[in-house]
Amino acid sequence: MKPLYNGGVIQNSEFNSGLMGWSTYRNIKAGVSSSPTGNKFAVVHNPGSFLSSSGKFLPSHSVFQRIQMQGDMHYSLSGTRDRRDHPRINGLSAVLIALIPWLQVSNGTAHVKAVIKAPNGERVIAGAIVAQSGCWTMLKGGMTTTYSSGHGEIYFEVYYPDMLANLLAEHGACDVCEKWSTPIFDIACTTLQSDAPVDIWVDSVSMQPFTLDEWDAHARQSADKARRRTVTFVAKGADDKPMAHANVSIELLRLGFPFGNAITKEILDLPAYEKWFSSRFTVATFENEMKWYSTEWNQNQEDYRVADAMLKLVQKYGIKVRGHNVFWDDQSSQMKWVTPMNLAQLKAAMQKRLKSVVSRYAGKVIHWDVVNENLHFNFFEGKLGPSASAQIFNQVGQLDRNAILFMNEFNTLEQPGDPNPVPSKYVAKMNQIRTYPGNGGLKLGIGLESHFATPNIPYMRSSLDTLAKLKLPMWLTEVDVVKSPNQVKFLEQVLREGFAHPNVDGIVMWAAWHAKGCYVMCLTDNNFKNLPVGDLVDKLIAEWKTHRASATTNADGAVELNLPLGEYKFTVSHPSLKGAAVHTMTIDTSSSPSVHTIHVKS
């Protein structure tokens, strides 16, 4: 486990010189141990949470190191080399492998955070994982400095959320563990009920700074590599001879990268809304209109008229639709008639809902958000058992074999401090779903809602890298940024980072227009004139579509073009032709370095 950048700004990153450069907090005991192969690592003895004098459980710190930090930099915390081909800029690799130590615990599991104490005293959570015994786990993370240069600190801590701490203090660990089943409670209960102390092992810590320009340059290079192809066209006449000096005009009919937005039922009565939306986006998500509470607010009174009308409208423009959603795991989002049901009644109601909505829209939607937000919430797991999500995915997949079935979750990219949806837990939940009996053939997808306040872009990239190892389609499904003086800037960072990542297959924003105000972010005013965030979206769409409008073939009848992926119409004209020849084709990831021949009839 060699650290990336030889540790970057971290001294003694592999602990080959004992704990030189490292210190410990409070009365924590630490030392260095070795594996049978001679690999050295730090061991922090029993650093679990402890009860404070006020009765709350507080996190315990592990080893820490003081580091010199610079302002206006992206910091990546890394531990191993990424196999992707990353360019080098100004002598530094322009890639985020994120804040990565390798971590392990001596017994059971523990929720471990990587924390950076900034020069101004701010405590920044740079990443988090569930560390396990018996194997090393890599934590990826990072942060952006927005303050003056100075000394900072990096350390790791084991903690339990305030909610758990209060419950433990009030009821006792055993009672709480019997009543709660979310992953963080399971981890805490296992740790607290264990007789054996838990040690944290740390190895191969790396932290590397990048200037904002270096980071942005890499993102643009990555986007060009992932979203564009250089192709060669050869125009040939009826005699199969190359047509030299022919004029070729290039028209992009449809961008290959799916980019969409949420819509509301208000679009049905507003032609201006319809025109504004259809001229920009290729994917739509109905904000609420396909959800269970919108189609069956009163038991056995189903009404799909609004959702049907919205689907018909967007289909006119060839806009694809994400099915959002079959079920929502949030108890507060269930109808009043659902929550008091016994198990048999709930199963019957769920079967009716599932068959109704999936059968109705099978073949008409490209995705299903199957059990929405099932890392944060567990309404159905609490009623049906821990495999509820996997069973529901199975049943949806049987009714719609073409749509990709998504596990849609928030804060996996947005908040490294939220213990529920960290990438390692997302991966574990997805693996539980995909390994459930009968689910081997399902088309599964990674849905990342992406509701941001102040984005931690290094953490976002590291999380995408981690999730990409699932080798499943991955979309940003509900992108928005809260209103602030930096809203436009932050939205651009998020959209560019998503577009540049080679494993992100599409982006949908959560900026549906409402006459009385949008959920978080509006792109237009009530006259459908762009607001600043709307102008940004238009700027990015135009940039992503940029290509040469015309070119002339050389003496061999060939022309080389660098084009964004998408559907094209090529029109060839030449003095020897009576009329122009039209050729359509799709440029996709398999198009390079192919040579495409356009046969022109004289």
Side-chain angles (χ1 to χ4, degrees), residues 2-168:
K2 289 291 183 182
L4 191 66
Y5 315 116
N6 293 319
V9 298
I10 301 296
Q11 301 178 47
N12 188 24
S13 61
E14 297 179 84
F15 300 97
N16 289 329
S17 300
L19 290 178
M20 183 189 74
W22 296 89
S23 303
T24 59
Y25 289 101
R26 304 187 182 95
N27 295 320
I28 295 295
K29 294 182 179 180
V32 172
S33 186
S34 297
S35 69
T37 60
N39 179 62
K40 295 183 178 180
F41 53 91
V43 177
V44 185
H45 299 289
N46 196 21
S49 298
F50 63 93
L51 194 64
S52 72
S53 58
S54 63
K56 289 189 175 182
F57 279 92
L58 299 178
S60 178
H61 301 155
S62 66
V63 290
F64 74 92
Q65 185 170 133
R66 289 189 172 89
I67 52 177
Q68 177 66 31
M69 302 185 71
Q70 303 175 47
D72 294 324
M73 300 282 282
H74 285 310
Y75 278 84
S76 66
L77 183 56
S78 313
T80 189
R81 294 188 182 278
D82 192 307
R83 295 184 182 274
R84 282 193 285 149
D85 179 23
H86 298 292
R88 296 185 67 83
I89 301 174
N90 296 335
L92 291 176
S93 175
V95 56
L96 169 72
I97 312 297
L99 168 62
I100 305 180
W102 288 83
L103 298 164
Q104 187 175 164
V105 292
S106 60
N107 180 58
T109 58
H111 189 82
V112 183
K113 290 181 180 180
V115 181
I116 298 174
K117 184 178 179 181
N120 66 350
E122 181 184 0
R123 178 178 172 274
V124 180
I125 299 171
I129 59 163
V130 178
Q132 306 175 54
S133 62
C135 66
W136 288 97
T137 303
M138 183 173 62
L139 184 155
K140 287 191 172 186
M143 64 171 294
T144 302
T145 60
T146 57
Y147 34 71
S148 301
S149 301
H151 288 286
E153 293 178 1
I154 175 175
Y155 58 90
F156 310 98
E157 63 181 30
V158 184
Y159 86 110
Y160 307 122
D162 287 343
M163 177 181 177
L164 174 61
N166 293 335
L167 285 169
L168 291 173

Side-chain angles (χ1 to χ4, degrees), residues 238-254:
D239 56 1
D240 204 37
K241 292 183 179 180
M243 186 172 289
H245 311 301
N247 182 69
V248 182
S249 65
I250 306 107
E251 181 183 356
L252 176 60
L253 303 176
R254 191 181 188 90

Side-chain angles (χ1 to χ4, degrees), residues 244-467:
H245 311 301
N247 182 69
V248 182
S249 65
I250 306 107
E251 181 183 356
L252 176 60
L253 303 176
R254 191 181 188 90
L255 187 66
F257 184 80
F259 186 58
N261 193 11
I263 57 172
T264 67
K265 62 184 178 181
E266 291 160 285
I267 198 170
L268 297 174
D269 303 314
L270 291 171
Y273 186 6
E274 177 182 341
K275 180 180 179 181
W276 179 88
F277 186 91
S278 62
S279 65
R280 287 166 172 79
F281 302 111
T282 58
V283 183
T285 301
F286 303 170
E287 189 179 55
N288 293 304
E289 289 79 2
M290 206 177 281
K291 293 173 182 173
W292 194 3
Y293 59 62
S294 293
T295 61
E296 194 181 3
W297 179 254
N298 296 309
Q299 189 174 10
N300 296 322
Q301 296 180 20
E302 291 186 325
D303 187 351
Y304 287 96
R305 288 176 296 176
V306 172
D308 287 348
M310 293 171 69
L311 180 66
K312 183 178 179 180
L313 184 148
V314 297
Q315 284 178 329
K316 289 192 309 182
Y317 302 98
I319 295 172
K320 307 298 184 182
V321 175
R322 300 192 71 254
H324 180 77
N325 48 55
V326 181
F327 294 109
W328 197 349
D329 228 354
D330 183 3
Q331 178 164 341
S332 66
S333 298
Q334 312 306 322
M335 289 76 71
K336 291 182 179 180
W337 58 269
V338 169
T339 50
M341 285 181 163
N342 62 35
L343 183 59
Q345 292 170 331
L346 179 62
K347 285 184 175 180
M350 290 176 64
Q351 285 298 309
K352 181 173 177 288
R353 158 64 180 177
L354 190 151
K355 291 180 179 178
S356 175
V357 70
V358 177
S359 298
R360 188 179 196 90
Y361 297 118
K364 300 175 183 178
V365 299
I366 59 171
H367 303 159
W368 284 109
D369 291 332
V370 178
V371 185
N372 207 45
E373 299 172 353
N374 58 350
L375 288 175
H376 277 93
F377 308 113
N378 66 341
F379 174 76
F380 296 105
E381 285 81 359
K383 301 286 187 179
L384 279 67
S387 63
S389 289
Q391 294 173 24
I392 295 169
F393 270 79
N394 180 281
Q395 293 171 22
V396 173
Q398 291 180 26
L399 292 175
D400 191 343
R401 299 186 181 277
N402 295 315
I404 300 173
L405 311 184
F406 276 73
M407 189 177 127
N408 196 45
E409 191 54 78
F410 66 93
N411 279 358
T412 304
L413 301 182
E414 304 96 292
Q415 292 290 344
D418 186 341
N420 293 298
V422 293
S424 60
K425 292 181 183 177
Y426 191 108
V427 170
K429 186 70 171 181
M430 180 61 81
N431 283 333
Q432 179 196 39
I433 292 169
R434 75 198 308 186
T435 58
Y436 184 79
N439 285 1
L442 293 183
K443 297 179 179 179
L444 300 174
I446 301 165
L448 305 166
E449 294 184 14
S450 308
H451 298 291
F452 287 92
T454 300
N456 181 338
I457 295 300
Y459 178 76
M460 177 182 176
R461 187 182 297 185
S462 69
S463 298
L464 292 172
D465 286 346
T466 298
L467 295 166

